[in-house]
Amino acid sequence: MPNTGNSTPPTEPTLHRAFNALVEVLNEHQVSYAVIGGLAMIQHTRLRTTDDIDALLTLPQLRMSVFFESLRARGFNVELLKNIQEFRDHGLTTIQFENVIVDLLRPAVPAFAHVLDRAIDSHILGQRVRISSAEGLVVMKLIAFRPIDQADIQDLLAAYGNALELSFVFGELDSIMEKDDPRRLKFESWVRNIAGVRNAT
């Protein structure tokens, strides 16, 4: 099983500064969050380059304004009304720190809330942070299912094998897709062929 304690990606200094500033604001406002995307994948699978930051977080509407204002004060390019409206109404907004893109996601569906609930401790770029578990990443990537997500799912299956808690993954899939959904069928095939689990469901 991969070590989620101290992996550090080979990234540009700007990403370090952006990440440190984001974590400072999250901690300052006591926000429940999980780092997802490429930075989380690095902790679970292999080192690779990444130039953006993705975080899943819960934020009461009454605290959104002060949260985004704090991000702006730390050097992020924030359009206050636009970012609040996107985050509140669509569950996703994008801000920027110099050339670093930061996507902030709200758990707008129960599956994402469960991913947030299962976040684990790790260290990224010198910071002690919360990241998505491997199972949580699989669920989110099965929903998105872009080519890069499919590759990441296979990397996670190869890294964890039968140590992956498949009961959680399939429990979430039961709530969001049919048994014959092509995404699920492909995942079941990967589970059998990559992780070596015969009873994939």
Side-chain angles (χ1 to χ4, degrees):
M1 182 181 300
N3 176 10
T4 59
N6 259 315
S7 298
T8 303
T11 54
E12 294 295 325
T14 306
L15 181 61
H16 289 236
R17 297 199 307 274
F19 187 77
N20 289 340
L22 177 63
V23 171
E24 286 175 4
V25 174
L26 290 168
N27 290 337
E28 174 186 323
H29 293 275
Q30 299 181 319
V31 174
S32 176
Y33 74 93
V35 175
I36 55 177
L39 284 176
M41 280 296 300
I42 289 169
Q43 311 309 304
H44 287 293
T45 57
R46 54 186 168 79
L47 286 179
R48 67 183 189 188
T49 58
T50 185
D51 56 4
D52 58 10
I53 302 169
D54 303 285
L56 180 68
L57 57 115
T58 57
L59 191 63
Q61 185 171 340
L62 289 176
R63 293 168 53 195
M64 289 181 187
S65 179
V66 67
F67 174 76
F68 281 102
E69 286 174 351
S70 293
L71 287 170
R72 184 159 59 187
R74 292 298 208 291
F76 290 90
N77 181 11
V78 171
E79 297 180 55
L80 195 60
L81 294 179
K82 176 177 179 286
N83 291 127
I84 290 174
Q85 183 179 20
E86 289 177 346
F87 186 78
R88 181 191 65 211
D89 298 342
H90 305 296
L92 168 66
T93 194
T94 298
I95 59 177
Q96 198 161 339
F97 186 99
E98 298 182 25
N99 64 332
V100 176
I101 302 296
V102 180
D103 285 332
L104 302 176
L105 289 83
R106 182 172 58 83
V109 297
F112 285 8
H114 300 158
V115 169
L116 189 57
D117 291 341
R118 290 173 60 92
I120 61 176
D121 291 325
S122 188
H123 286 81
I124 301 178
L125 304 178
Q127 292 270 20
R128 183 176 180 273
V129 297
R130 299 285 285 171
I131 71 169
S132 171
S133 67
E135 294 83 1
L137 285 173
V138 169
V139 169
M140 297 191 74
K141 289 177 175 298
L142 279 166
I143 293 172
F145 218 62
R146 301 163 301 176
I148 190 172
D149 297 308
Q150 297 180 48
D152 285 343
I153 292 167
Q154 293 175 77
D155 280 350
L156 288 163
L157 287 169
Y160 280 86
N162 58 15
L164 202 68
E165 191 177 331
L166 290 172
S167 60
F168 168 77
V169 176
F170 282 109
E172 295 303 314
L173 295 187
D174 286 342
S175 70
I176 57 180
M177 62 181 65
E178 300 295 330
K179 298 282 189 182
D180 60 352
D181 188 293
R183 295 168 294 177
R184 180 174 183 140
L185 295 176
K186 186 167 285 190
F187 177 63
E188 291 172 359
S189 173
W190 291 335
V191 168
R192 290 190 295 269
N193 296 328
I194 299 173
V197 178
R198 291 299 157 201
N199 185 12
T201 57

